[in-house]
Amino acid sequence: MSKTRIKTYDKIVIESLKLFNEHGERAITTNHISAHLGISPGNLYYHFRNKEEIVFQIFREYDAFIHAQLTPPVGRAIGPQDLSDYLDSIFKGMWNYRFLFDDLPGLLSRNPQLQAEYHASIGTGLRPMMSSMLKGFAQSGLLAFSSDEEIDQLAVNIWLVVKFWYAFEQSAKPKVPISAETGRRGARQVLALMRPYVTPDNKTSFAAIDESYR
């Protein structure tokens, strides 16, 4: 693949993400994207056969970002600061790729390739990683659980809050534009789910993390 092709390919992905985030995926066509980039539709189709392929590539970037951020540290136990870092990363990813979650069911129904990749990522990748993260916090003494089932249930609940947080905020406050600050409120909601499992010795440090998102 030539350098010119790589540059154009990457630029299509980057600028499409900006357009989708700003205007919504449904409102943007390949003609909008090519006009925004100042290239011909034929040049765009040389790299992507349709808009769905662009969306799919953007999702793969988001998926890689989240999996990298949730990978446990090597050679040390995870602690309270890691919890804050995880939350920052998760909601940063949600903000940077927010169009993916504006109408996720509709997006998946229109894009079979994305649907298959999404379910594979969540089922075999993200949920187990979140459970592993919670087990790491349990091993370090920050959290305490009575069973693995309890850990898995909390992992699912956290993912539900994360995945639907921006949609919830938009429906609850339709006149208030979502922003990076919206993610901070989402982080506090995740912390509220975790609070009952915090060990007595770590309640002070946990409260400090919660306070930092106010």
Side-chain angles (χ1 to χ4, degrees), residues 194-210:
M194 301 177 72
R195 187 175 294 111
Y197 304 98
V198 177
T199 57
D201 290 343
N202 286 280
K203 288 188 180 296
T204 299
S205 58
F206 186 86
I209 295 173
D210 181 72

Side-chain angles (χ1 to χ4, degrees), residues 17-212:
L17 174 59
K18 292 178 182 177
L19 290 172
F20 294 155
N21 278 340
E22 183 176 352
H23 303 287
E25 177 267 340
R26 280 182 177 268
I28 298 299
T29 66
T30 51
N31 285 338
H32 289 127
I33 297 169
S34 59
H36 175 75
L37 290 168
I39 63 176
S40 68
N43 194 354
L44 186 147
Y45 291 133
Y46 176 74
H47 301 283
F48 296 95
R49 290 178 297 177
N50 49 49
K51 185 176 73 171
E52 285 68 31
E53 286 194 352
I54 301 174
V55 172
F56 178 70
Q57 180 57 36
I58 291 173
F59 170 76
R60 294 191 72 181
E61 290 189 0
Y62 166 76
D63 189 54
F65 171 82
I66 287 298
H67 278 73
Q69 297 304 313
L70 291 182
T71 299
V74 178
R76 66 172 179 82
I78 59 178
Q81 182 56 48
D82 291 296
L83 174 56
S84 182
D85 291 343
Y86 281 139
L87 289 173
D88 288 344
S89 297
I90 289 172
F91 282 98
K92 177 183 178 181
M94 289 287 293
W95 174 248
N96 290 343
Y97 297 87
R98 56 192 176 277
F99 87 91
L100 288 170
F101 303 93
D102 286 344
D103 178 25
L104 184 59
L107 198 63
L108 296 179
S109 68
R110 297 190 301 273
N111 196 327
Q113 184 182 31
L114 175 62
Q115 185 179 72
E117 185 85 359
Y118 175 83
H119 289 306
S121 172
I122 300 305
T124 63
L126 189 55
R127 281 176 57 182
M129 288 184 72
M130 293 186 73
S131 293
S132 178
M133 176 190 71
L134 293 173
K135 289 177 182 178
F137 285 125
Q139 291 169 358
S140 68
L142 177 63
L143 305 176
F145 301 98
S146 60
S147 66
D148 286 346
E149 181 182 17
E150 199 169 49
I151 294 174
D152 292 338
Q153 288 173 340
L154 179 58
V156 171
N157 289 340
I158 290 173
W159 175 240
L160 287 173
V161 169
V162 171
K163 183 172 70 169
F164 293 112
W165 183 251
Y166 285 114
F168 169 77
E169 286 278 293
Q170 285 179 313
S171 61
K173 305 171 184 177
K175 296 183 179 180
V176 180
I178 63 170
S179 64
E181 187 65 26
T182 308
R184 298 180 66 81
R185 293 193 293 271
R188 292 200 70 215
Q189 198 65 34
V190 171
L191 290 171
L193 292 173
M194 301 177 72
R195 187 175 294 111
Y197 304 98
V198 177
T199 57
D201 290 343
N202 286 280
K203 288 188 180 296
T204 299
S205 58
F206 186 86
I209 295 173
D210 181 72
E211 185 65 26
S212 71

